Structure formats: structure tokens, C-alpha cells
Amino acid sequence: MTEQTKPPFAATHILVPVDMRHREVSRLAVESAVYLAGLSGAKVSILTVTNPLGTHLTEMPEARKPDFEAFVAEQADRLGHAITPLFESHEAVNETIQKVIKQHGVDFVVMATHHPRLSDHLFGSHASQTALHANCSVLIVRGE
């Protein structure tokens, strides 16, 4: 890599936390991460966090895992880059993202966000919480 094409950061592992309810915006974050990984030679992981109780009392979180893994495989095929799926079940999404950053040696996070709702002004979005508390750089992309 020449000095002109060398990225200004040394990312080795890029994490993309996604909300499977917002796939289109998540695709933008994945595309951005894969682009950056191509420049830096980093590996890419996609994380989703499900509620341990599921969306209904009769649904276990593992029921969502095949759909998530299919999404990751689709993105890897579409973008021509290896992507590791990370499926977690926890009530606190922000805590889980921080835990995964530490456990997996993540040094760069790319995540999508939406236009703020009232609750985001009060509590902050997952993206803003990640940017505030992560011990690595965070790139936030806004979808339409």
C-alpha cells in the first residue's frame, strides 16, 4: 500500500452492530465497513442483539438466529468479503456492544442510525451511546 492509499487509521477488526428490523440502513453500514476493510485489510463482523425473551413470550431468541445468519451470508456474497456473524441475546444492547468490542478485539465500529425520536433526545440512540463509550473509533452513517 502506498502512502497515498494507506488509511489514516489502523483498523484490524471492524464491528457492524445491526438492527434486523432496519435492514436497508444496516446494509449501508455493512457496505461502509467492507469498503474500509478493503482499504485497511481488516476483518469484519456483524453483530445483532436480541431480547432474551424474544418479541413474544412464546418465541426464544434463537429462533431469529437463522434469519440473521442468512442476512450475513447474503451481505458477504453480495460484497465479496468474508463476514463473521455475532449473535447475542441480552436486554441491554449498548452493554452488549461494549462487551463484544472488548471480547473480540474490535478497533473500529461502523453503525447506522436513524433520525432522532423523542426517546433518543432523552436517552440517546444506540449509535450515540456506542460513540460515547467505545474505546475505539466509531463511524456513524445515517440512512434516509
Side-chain angles (χ1 to χ4, degrees), residues 25-109:
V25 178
S26 295
R27 283 184 180 93
L28 177 62
V30 174
E31 289 171 5
S32 300
V34 168
Y35 175 78
L36 292 171
L39 295 174
S40 64
K43 65 181 179 176
V44 176
S45 296
I46 297 178
L47 166 69
T48 195
V49 182
T50 63
N51 190 302
L53 297 177
T55 53
H56 305 287
L57 291 176
T58 59
E59 179 190 65
M60 296 303 291
E62 292 77 24
R64 296 188 176 271
K65 191 172 185 177
D67 183 47
F68 169 68
E69 289 175 341
F71 172 78
V72 173
E74 171 193 321
Q75 299 309 303
D77 287 345
R78 183 174 70 86
L79 300 168
H81 192 22
I83 301 174
T84 303
L86 300 173
F87 184 87
E88 295 283 335
S89 174
H90 197 284
E91 289 177 12
V93 173
N94 296 322
E95 288 178 22
T96 304
I97 292 171
Q98 296 305 318
K99 178 187 82 170
V100 167
I101 288 170
K102 289 178 183 137
Q103 283 181 339
H104 292 271
V106 170
D107 50 14
F108 201 86
V109 176

Side-chain angles (χ1 to χ4, degrees), residues 1 9 16 22 43 61 77 81 103 121 124 136 141-142 144:
M1 208 174 268
F9 55 88
V16 186
H22 305 288
K43 65 181 179 176
D77 287 345
H81 192 22
Q103 283 181 339
H121 289 288
C136 62
V141 294
R142 185 178 301 277
E144 294 183 20

